[in-house]
């Protein structure tokens, strides 16, 4: 099984564990860290909506908690191949060294995959101190 197949399977499995009683929109994510490990996450909603955490951030936080600080590839699994929200894109940018080289794959229930370079998702990321001349 290649990296993409393993990432897709992991994201879909994580999506099955999503806690989304308010929106009904289950999301699973898988992040391939620079350490070669796949980290997963699902969205976890809360009655106080601001406390909800997206699947992408859950996976990234698990990666960071394990000691890895760099993302190689991301898969997000939703019913309709939805892309990461703005907050997730900004968190991803913190851990992506080369936005042109990192792919974000959005998969849907029918097996469709839409792949985008991270630089396409967030072309002008706020990267404090890293983009100054």
């Amino acid at each position: 099984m290649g990296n993409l197949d393993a990432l897709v399977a992991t994201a879909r499995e994580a999506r099955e564990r999503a806690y989304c009683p308010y929106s009904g929109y289950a999301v699973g994510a898988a992040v391939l860290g620079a350490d070669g490990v796949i980290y997963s996450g699902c969205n976890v909603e809360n009655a106080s909506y601001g406390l909800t955490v997206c699947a992408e951030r859950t996976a990234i936080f698990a990666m960071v908690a394990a000691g890895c600080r760099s993302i190689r590839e991301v898969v997000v699994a939703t019913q309709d191949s939805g892309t990461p929200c703005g907050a997730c894109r900004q968190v991803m940018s913190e851990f992506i060294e080369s936005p042109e080289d990192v792919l974000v794959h959005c998969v849907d229930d029918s097996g469709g995959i839409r792949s985008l370079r991270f630089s396409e998702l967030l072309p002008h990321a706020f990267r404090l101190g890293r983009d100054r001349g």
Side-chain angles (χ1 to χ4, degrees):
M1 183 183 288
N3 275 346
L4 183 54
D5 291 336
L7 283 163
V8 169
T10 300
R12 286 194 167 131
E13 181 180 308
R15 183 173 174 231
E16 293 175 14
R17 295 188 299 268
Y19 178 76
C20 52
Y22 306 103
S23 72
Y25 192 76
V27 181
V31 172
L32 177 62
D35 58 1
V37 175
I38 296 174
Y39 300 92
S40 67
C42 62
N43 57 321
V44 180
E45 295 181 350
N46 190 280
S48 176
Y49 296 132
L51 299 179
T52 293
V53 180
C54 299
E56 299 91 318
R57 284 182 279 156
T58 303
I60 293 166
F61 296 161
M63 179 191 79
V64 171
C68 184
R69 301 284 192 269
S70 184
I71 295 171
R72 284 191 191 160
E73 197 167 8
V74 178
V75 169
V76 179
T78 65
Q79 64 190 22
D80 57 1
S81 71
T83 60
C85 74
C88 288
R89 293 175 194 200
Q90 184 59 48
V91 169
M92 283 183 209
S93 75
E94 189 73 18
F95 301 101
I96 292 177
E97 295 169 19
S98 180
E100 285 291 323
D101 297 330
V102 173
L103 292 175
V104 177
H105 309 280
C106 303
V107 302
D108 64 27
D109 284 346
S110 68
I113 299 177
R114 177 172 42 155
S115 300
L116 302 160
R117 294 186 187 286
F118 182 73
S119 59
E120 294 175 277
L121 284 174
L122 190 60
H124 303 287
F126 180 75
R127 295 166 59 93
L128 188 61
R130 290 195 255 167
D131 291 336
R132 295 184 184 178

